[in-house]
Amino acid sequence: AQKVTQAQTEISVVEKEDVTLDCVYETRDTTYYLFWYKQPPSGELVFLIRRNSFDEQNEISGRYSWNFQKSTSSFNFTITASQVVDSAVYFCALSEARNQGGKLIFGQGTELSVKP
Amino acid sequence: EPEVTQTPSHQVTQMGQEVILRCVPISNHLYFYWYRQILGQKVEFLVSFYNNEISEKSEIFDDQFSVERPDGSNFTLKIRSTKLEDSAMYFCASKRGLGTDTQYFGPGTRLTVL
């Protein structure tokens, strides 16, 4: 069965600190897609990054980077030099290729608070 | 930049009433979704829709729920007889195709059932 676990329910950091959000997933599919979405206090869901299961290359995009490791089924997300505007709930999500409808399975979310 | 829109932003209704939540997906997208988020909880899948029919639905999506694409632009979620536990944020999402395509979400409709 597919499942996404975000063990950290809340994280609090001081501005300019680096912060890593953990995500562990379960799937029996060999091809799948992983996502991070941000939900700021205004409530909308904002797409941040996507990774395909067949591409384990880790990347950096501005202050965001991610570490995808199939061996440990983890897809962690790092914000470098955090800012107050990064305060939000962050959701990790999984979509399996065999699922024709393409639904997303979300984790419970991690609430990040960045204090000035 | 194209975006998914949803109306209304907030709907208040009495228990037992019917509500229709409306969404306009991104214009060249072919796959449409509804999700809900009960306050403080995770986002849960309700239903996916492609080629004018439901592709998949979750256990939450029972006979009280229905979806429709009445024209070329709107995608609606109807709840026939609302219950208190239907109070939640409802998100519409769309994506262009299968596979690696990303789902883009609307701003949500907050439904409050009294």
Side-chain angles (χ1 to χ4, degrees), chain A residues 2 4 33 35 37 39 42-45 47 50 52 54 91 95 99-109, chain B residues 31 33 35 37 40-45 48 55-56 89 91 95 98-107:
Chain A
Q2 64 270 37
V4 176
Y33 314 101
F35 303 81
Y37 286 86
Q39 187 174 43
S42 49
E44 70 271 26
L45 284 165
F47 164 72
R50 178 187 71 228
N52 307 328
F54 44 86
F91 289 98
S95 177
N99 182 289
Q100 290 296 314
K103 69 181 179 186
L104 289 172
I105 304 298
F106 283 85
Q108 300 92 320
Chain B
Y31 294 80
Y33 305 83
Y35 294 82
Q37 184 182 32
Q41 297 186 23
K42 69 177 180 180
V43 180
E44 300 174 289
F45 167 76
S48 58
S55 308
E56 184 178 1
M89 181 76 93
F91 290 103
K95 71 174 186 176
L98 273 179
T100 61
D101 279 355
T102 296
Q103 289 184 33
Y104 292 94
F105 285 78

Side-chain angles (χ1 to χ4, degrees), chain A residues 100-101, chain B residues 32 34 45-58 61-62 65-68 75-77:
Chain A
Q100 290 296 314
Chain B
F32 315 116
W34 284 101
F45 167 76
L46 291 178
V47 66
S48 58
F49 192 86
Y50 169 70
N51 199 25
N52 278 322
E53 60 184 25
I54 291 175
S55 308
E56 184 178 1
K57 57 185 180 180
S58 71
F61 195 89
D62 60 23
F65 290 87
S66 63
V67 289
E68 194 178 31
F75 180 51
T76 61
L77 173 69

Side-chain angles (χ1 to χ4, degrees), chain A residues 15 38 40 63 83-88 90 114:
Chain A
E15 208 170 17
K38 174 182 178 180
R63 294 188 300 110
Q83 301 174 0
V84 173
V85 294
D86 295 328
S87 297
Y90 290 81
V114 182

Side-chain angles (χ1 to χ4, degrees), chain A residues 68-83:
Chain A
F68 175 34
Q69 295 200 350
K70 285 177 82 168
S71 59
T72 55
S73 297
S74 65
F75 183 51
N76 298 336
F77 175 59
T78 297
I79 303 174
T80 303
S82 59
Q83 301 174 0

Side-chain angles (χ1 to χ4, degrees), chain A residues 17-72:
Chain A
E17 285 184 9
D18 298 347
V19 57
T20 295
L21 309 181
D22 297 334
C23 173
V24 174
Y25 61 91
E26 294 176 32
T27 178
R28 283 196 282 246
D29 208 350
T30 53
T31 302
Y32 50 89
Y33 314 101
L34 296 162
F35 303 81
W36 278 95
Y37 286 86
K38 174 182 178 180
Q39 187 174 43
S42 49
E44 70 271 26
L45 284 165
V46 179
F47 164 72
L48 293 177
I49 54 176
R50 178 187 71 228
R51 210 78 197 132
N52 307 328
S53 58
F54 44 86
D55 183 1
E56 287 192 71
Q57 183 178 353
N58 296 311
E59 290 186 23
I60 298 173
S61 176
R63 294 188 300 110
Y64 297 159
S65 63
W66 49 98
N67 186 351
F68 175 34
Q69 295 200 350
K70 285 177 82 168
S71 59
T72 55

